[in-house]
């Protein structure tokens, strides 16, 4: 359990001291945020704020994980490394998108096909590798069966699993990306979900089928639950430290570099911890905001009318007169409730199998 504490503390420390250094570097280079003309008028003052801040917590997470392994003399696991690969890979796609936006000074970075191609390459590589590297019990980092609080139902097969994994990765990445519209909103919400996965990984480790003391009918068939908790802790600590600089008024934005990385991390943790459908509850705010865009676009195409004043949902409330801080805090409360409900469902699932 010391690994979890070390990973979180190191990640927090690195972003607290590293983010201001990144802010100075980005400001010196002139790598500032481009603000859309059709966005809320109150956002015009944010133009030029350093972006690509996701670099800070991605690097901090990777270093925190490495330091933890050295400090505790423990070995990295395949599951942990795969989630980190997915996080960094999606972050790289986002970085290219952000960099082109800054150089070209336009709101659109990578062309849609190029951006999708990058996400597909990283996602497919993760999904394929996650079905390899079986341990002594035959457990691979991911399972071809659907999961909620644990695996259930029939096996999807490798091909359908890859498609399903890609859907999850793209859905979560775009969900976090859409949520990242107000200072600190996506970062704070992500901290809560990563905190939930620290608990889930720790609990699964204590009730693992790989542990002779707990093996039996009531146990979790997850390959490396403790290391998934370590990765989640590193991400939680890194995002928490970044939030110090990202909260209103933000000194730096995470950009697509950060939002795509966080979405990939959430999807990877859900897949490897066998909580694929539960992530829709734990990350309920991301789902809600994504659905607001789907509803807005669908309604306009079908009826020519808009349901919200502006989508994503957070901008609707801004246009209704809510201050940015008020929207963020209330949305954080919603996210906190989603995490509480999700953990309650996870625990209820454990009681059902005992």
């Amino acid at each position: 359990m010391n690994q979890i504490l070390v990973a979180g503390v190191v990640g927090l420390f690195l972003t607290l001291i590293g983010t201001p250094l990144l802010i100075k570097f980005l400001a010196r280079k002139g790598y500032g945020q481009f603000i859309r003309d059709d966005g809320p008028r109150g956002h015009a003052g944010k133009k030029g704020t350093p972006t690509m801040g996701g670099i800070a917590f991605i690097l901090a997470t990777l270093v925190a994980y490495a330091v933890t392994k050295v400090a505790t003399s423990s070995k990295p696991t395949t599951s942990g490394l795969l989630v980190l690969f997915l996080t960094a890979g999606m972050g790289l796609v986002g970085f290219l998108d952000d960099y082109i936006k800054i150089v070209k000074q336009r709101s659109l970075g990578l062309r849609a096909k190029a951006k999708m191609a990058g996400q597909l390459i990283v996602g497919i590589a993760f999904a394929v590798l996650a079905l390899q590297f079986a341990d002594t019990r035959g457990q691979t980092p991911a399972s071809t069966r659907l999961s909620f609080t644990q695996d259930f139902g029939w096996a999807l097969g490798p091909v359908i699993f890859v498609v399903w994994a890609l859907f999850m990765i793209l859905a979560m990445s775009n969900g976090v990306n859409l949520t990242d519209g107000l200072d600190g909103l996506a970062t704070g919400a992500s901290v809560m979900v990563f905190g939930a996965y620290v608990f889930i990984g720790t609990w699964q480790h204590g009730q693992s089928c790989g542990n002779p003391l707990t093996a039996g009918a009531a146990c979790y068939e997850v390959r490396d639950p403790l290391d998934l908790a370590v990765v989640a802790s590193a991400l939680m600590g890194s995002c928490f430290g970044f939030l110090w600089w990202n909260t209103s008024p933000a000194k730096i934005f995470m950009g697509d570099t950060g939002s795509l990385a966080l979405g990939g991390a959430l999807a990877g943790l859900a897949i490897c911890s066998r909580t694929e459908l539960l992530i829709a509850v734990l990350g309920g705010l991301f789902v809600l905001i994504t659905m607001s865009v789907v509803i807005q676009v669908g309604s306009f195409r079908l009826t020519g009318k808009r349901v919200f004043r502006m989508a994503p949902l957070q901008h609707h409330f801004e246009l209704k007169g809510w201050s940015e801080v008020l929207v963020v805090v209330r949305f954080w409360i919603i996210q906190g409730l989603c995490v509480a409900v999700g953990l309650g469902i996870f625990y209820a699932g454990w009681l059902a199998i005992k």
Side-chain angles (χ1 to χ4, degrees), residues 323-345:
S323 69
E324 180 174 1
V325 173
L326 181 61
V327 175
V328 170
V329 172
R330 286 182 173 174
F331 275 39
W332 278 351
I333 292 172
I334 292 172
Q335 178 54 48
L337 291 173
C338 290
V339 166
V341 171
L343 289 178
I345 292 173

Side-chain angles (χ1 to χ4, degrees), residues 1 3-4 201-202 204-205 223-231:
M1 301 303 174
Q3 294 184 59
I4 296 173
T202 304
Q204 289 177 334
H205 173 69
R223 176 174 163 157
D224 306 301
L226 179 59
D227 211 40
L228 292 176
V230 172
V231 172

Side-chain angles (χ1 to χ4, degrees), residues 188-213:
S190 297
V191 166
M192 297 182 204
V193 186
F194 289 134
Y197 272 107
V198 172
F199 172 82
I200 288 173
T202 304
W203 183 268
Q204 289 177 334
H205 173 69
Q207 313 297 332
S208 172
C209 295
N211 185 341
L213 299 177

